Amino acid sequence: MSTSSPVIQLDTGSLQRLQESLHGWKDDKSSKLMGDLLNKATAGEMTIAFCGHFSAGKSSLINSLCGKKVLPSSPVPTSANVVSIRNGQPHALIYPAQATELSSQEVKPQEVSLDELYTYCTNGGSYSSVEVWDHIPLLGGRGVLMDTPGVDSTDDSHQKATHSALHLADTVLYVMDYNHVQSENNLAFAKSLSDWGKPLYLVVNQIDKHRERELSFESYRAEVEAAFKRWQVNYESLLFTTLKEPDHPYNQWKQIQELIAELIEKREPILNYSLDCSSRHIVEQHVKQYADSLEDTKQQLLDEMGGEEQAAKLEAEIAGYRKELEHFKELPQTERESIRKQVDALLDNANLTPAELRDTAKLFLESRKNGFKKGLLFAGAKTEQEKQERLRKFTDELREQTAAQVVWHLLELMKRWGKNLWTEDRQKALEESMPEISEGMLESSVKPDAVLSGEYVLNYCRMLSADIKSVYRRAIMNAAEDVLADVAASAKEQQQRVVAALNALLEQSAAMSRYVQLERDIAERAAAAGQLLP
């Protein structure tokens, strides 16, 4: 039975900063909800919420898990009540309905005994929520069972209470009557629970109503699974229960008890994931509410602009200018990256030391070995002459190979890349600035004590080739920077042109300017809130 959820290391400091920002944005409701999450993070409690219809048997299931009658047999008759149950000395706290409304003063709950709680329930009253403590070993010190109002209530506040309670729930058990599992009401509400992203367990209760002769249990289960799949409801597990017939062959009551214990035991990763889900949900709701608050103003501005069609035309023109402006801002860097990539590709593919040239390199390296000697008579002069001849030959062949493989191609590349900015003067200056392979470059990588082998010759040629390519890369990029200076100057002129045209367009319609600013405000609010998320 899965109790897994993505591992998230929660940063409570982020929650604190997010709460402060929401308060600064004058969204006291969301700020209060974020405060609830901070308190929840501090308490470290695993809250398991039970949702479902009035007739689905939620309260009976919860009482059975508690091993005693903690909840009244009928729901607490309040306008929008949520009941939370913890392990502890028996007592209860009743929160007045006005406690759900934000006010300058904190509304204190009323503490009563469990007997008094049942009296309150019988006599009625208007309460927002109830917290109950009783001796319930299953919950330990960190487990909380939450009973939410029936989702099929005609009282809209009940459904709102259920949804609002979910931001404090870490795991949800959705309890359904055997005969009404596939009702549209059930499927739609299960989908809304699934969209929260928190671990969801579907519980089909009262399976003692099942009649095998009418429909096999396997077929019933398959139909149920198919229905939730069609509605794209993601859930951890599908469980079947009955309290009337404990020995029913399909009763999974024991597995539910084990699940509750396992969830409480493994609460930390689930709790962190739940807090993350809830904080993101609060941010989404805040951004939506902020956007909704500006909707009337946006509609008025839209009317001033002559309707959506004219506004769309203006917006398209403005977007086009902004895109053009961004293009010119990035143009110098874009061109710099373009020429660098082309130069790198050309040099990477250039073969400066083919097999024939490596043979010449080997003769050169041989002449640089300690103890190299040529002839017997006048050996010193002949040896020095031979060394110079081999150096000259290697240098000439390497220059010729570099001219063919690198220099000509680089000059052509610059001509193509520079386009209308490339002039004859620049071409001449680049040709004159092309580095020449010096004899010293060939000598610098020689290791006189190395064993003259094929591997040594190959490694020497590789190092020499890399050095040569590096020299030419620097020379070309220096020449490119001269062109890029003109690109930047031209791009700046173009930016000024676009800015002037954009400002003129915006001035044509103060309404459009205001409308665009409101759109930007919404986007900035969403971005700012998103950055504060854990």
Side-chain angles (χ1 to χ4, degrees):
M1 190 175 297
S2 171
T3 57
S4 63
S5 58
V7 177
I8 293 175
Q9 295 299 323
L10 192 75
D11 175 15
T12 54
S14 296
L15 297 181
Q16 179 69 47
R17 290 188 292 274
L18 189 49
Q19 183 192 27
E20 293 169 356
S21 294
L22 289 167
H23 180 72
W25 291 327
K26 302 188 184 308
D27 186 352
D28 291 336
K29 179 180 178 181
S30 295
S31 177
K32 182 179 183 301
L33 290 175
M34 197 59 65
D36 292 340
L37 295 186
L38 278 166
N39 293 336
K40 178 179 174 62
T42 302
E45 293 179 329
M46 164 59 70
T47 301
I48 304 167
F50 285 75
C51 300
H53 292 233
F54 278 116
S55 60
K58 292 185 288 93
S59 299
S60 297
L61 287 178
I62 293 174
N63 283 334
S64 295
L65 285 169
C66 295
K68 60 180 67 178
K69 186 178 179 181
V70 177
L71 295 177
S73 56
S74 60
V76 180
T78 67
S79 61
N81 59 84
V82 173
V83 182
S84 299
I85 303 169
R86 294 176 175 83
N87 180 39
Q89 290 298 318
H91 71 288
L93 294 178
I94 298 178
Y95 291 82
Q98 61 265 35
T100 59
E101 301 296 327
L102 295 168
S103 61
S104 57
Q105 295 183 344
E106 206 57 45
V107 179
K108 294 182 179 180
Q110 179 180 357
E111 182 169 355
V112 298
S113 69
L114 296 189
D115 290 336
E116 289 175 313
L117 172 64
Y118 300 146
T119 302
Y120 273 95
C121 294
T122 303
N123 294 336
S126 182
Y127 317 115
S128 67
S129 62
V130 178
E131 294 184 346
V132 180
W133 284 261
D134 205 341
H135 297 299
I136 307 168
L138 173 67
L139 300 181
R142 297 293 181 89
V144 180
L145 299 181
M146 179 186 288
D147 185 25
T148 62
V151 300
D152 53 350
S153 171
T154 55
D155 189 341
D156 185 54
S157 61
H158 280 179
Q159 292 205 25
K160 289 182 179 179
T162 298
H163 275 289
S164 65
L166 288 176
H167 88 286
L168 292 177
D170 304 306
T171 302
V172 179
L173 273 70
Y174 186 48
V175 183
M176 300 163 284
D177 183 294
Y178 171 88
N179 287 327
H180 303 112
V181 174
Q182 297 187 53
S183 70
E184 185 171 342
N185 191 330
N186 255 335
L187 294 167
F189 196 79
K191 173 61 177 170
S192 70
L193 294 175
S194 170
D195 291 343
W196 268 79
K198 297 187 179 184
L200 172 65
Y201 294 84
L202 303 178
V203 180
V204 178
N205 195 23
Q206 302 171 5
I207 60 166
D208 49 277
K209 297 176 181 178
H210 176 73
R211 299 296 178 262
E212 190 72 17
R213 64 180 178 274
E214 298 175 3
L215 177 70
S216 71
F217 187 79
E218 289 73 15
S219 298
Y220 173 78
R221 181 184 185 114
E223 289 180 3
V224 171
E225 290 175 343
F228 285 109
K229 184 176 182 180
R230 285 194 301 273
W231 279 72
Q232 298 180 324
V233 176
N234 299 313
Y235 56 90
E236 298 289 330
S237 185
L238 175 64
L239 300 162
F240 300 88
T241 59
T242 173
L243 298 177
K244 288 186 177 180
E245 298 182 19
D247 297 329
H248 192 285
Y250 301 116
N251 190 14
Q252 294 179 288
W253 175 244
K254 183 178 180 182
Q255 286 92 321
I256 290 183
Q257 291 175 306
E258 293 172 350
L259 171 64
I260 300 299
E262 186 179 358
L263 288 170
I264 295 172
E265 181 183 356
K266 298 180 178 180
R267 66 185 177 276
E268 186 172 349
I270 304 174
L271 174 61
N272 286 342
Y273 177 64
S274 168
L275 290 168
D276 181 75
C277 285
S278 290
S279 60
R280 291 178 187 281
H281 185 78
I282 291 171
V283 165
E284 289 172 5
Q285 292 301 306
H286 165 75
V287 173
K288 182 180 182 302
Q289 180 182 339
Y290 179 62
D292 290 345
S293 70
L294 300 177
E295 195 57 38
D296 288 345
T297 304
K298 286 173 61 180
Q299 186 58 51
Q300 291 176 5
L301 294 171
L302 202 61
D303 294 340
E304 289 180 30
M305 288 184 283
E308 292 187 5
E309 186 175 341
Q310 184 62 25
K313 183 179 177 182
L314 280 171
E315 189 174 4
E317 290 183 41
I318 290 171
Y321 277 125
R322 285 191 171 134
K323 186 176 181 180
E324 193 177 357
L325 186 61
E326 194 64 27
H327 165 73
F328 286 121
K329 284 181 179 179
E330 297 176 354
L331 187 59
Q333 184 59 27
T334 301
E335 290 297 326
R336 181 177 288 106
E337 292 174 0
S338 172
I339 187 61
R340 182 182 292 117
K341 287 180 180 178
Q342 294 180 67
V343 169
D344 286 346
L346 190 154
L347 292 175
D348 288 344
N349 291 324
N351 184 6
L352 300 185
T353 56
E356 299 84 357
L357 198 142
R358 289 199 298 273
D359 291 338
T360 305
K362 181 177 181 182
L363 293 174
F364 164 70
L365 292 172
E366 181 185 42
S367 71
R368 266 49 187 173
K369 290 282 295 174
N370 291 330
F372 174 75
K373 186 181 292 186
K374 185 71 174 178
L376 297 175
L377 295 174
F378 310 107
K382 289 181 178 180
T383 297
E384 188 59 33
Q385 182 180 357
E386 181 67 18
K387 290 173 68 174
Q388 288 301 316
E389 178 61 25
R390 293 188 183 187
L391 172 60
R392 182 196 60 75
K393 187 174 187 304
F394 184 30
T395 303
D396 289 346
E397 289 184 14
L398 189 57
R399 286 174 178 171
E400 183 179 345
Q401 183 71 13
T402 302
Q405 291 287 317
V406 173
V407 177
W408 185 85
H409 293 287
L410 285 177
L411 291 172
E412 287 299 305
L413 172 60
M414 287 295 289
K415 189 186 300 184
R416 290 195 306 272
W417 172 74
K419 297 177 184 175
N420 58 320
L421 293 176
W422 196 251
T423 62
E424 291 184 5
D425 289 341
R426 278 193 163 127
Q427 180 76 7
K428 184 178 179 182
L430 180 58
E431 290 174 356
E432 292 175 352
S433 68
M434 281 286 98
E436 186 175 79
I437 298 173
S438 66
E439 294 179 348
M441 186 180 293
L442 277 60
E443 297 274 17
S444 63
S445 298
V446 173
K447 297 178 180 178
D449 297 329
V451 175
L452 187 61
S453 63
E455 183 179 1
Y456 170 51
V457 174
L458 189 61
N459 287 334
Y460 169 80
C461 288
R462 284 173 178 167
M463 292 176 61
L464 181 60
S465 178
D467 290 343
I468 293 171
K469 291 178 179 180
S470 178
V471 169
Y472 279 95
R473 181 181 285 106
R474 284 197 299 272
I476 287 297
M477 292 311 298
N478 286 338
E481 286 299 327
D482 181 56
V483 178
L484 287 168
D486 286 354
V487 172
S490 176
K492 189 170 183 179
E493 291 178 2
Q494 294 297 330
Q495 287 179 53
Q496 293 171 348
R497 174 188 63 79
V498 174
V499 167
L502 179 60
N503 288 337
L505 191 63
L506 289 174
E507 288 173 4
Q508 290 177 19
S509 173
M512 168 56 77
S513 180
R514 176 65 179 144
Y515 185 88
V516 171
Q517 183 59 50
L518 290 178
E519 291 278 87
R520 190 181 298 120
D521 289 346
I522 294 170
E524 289 175 355
R525 176 65 62 86
Q531 289 176 353
L532 291 169
L533 284 167

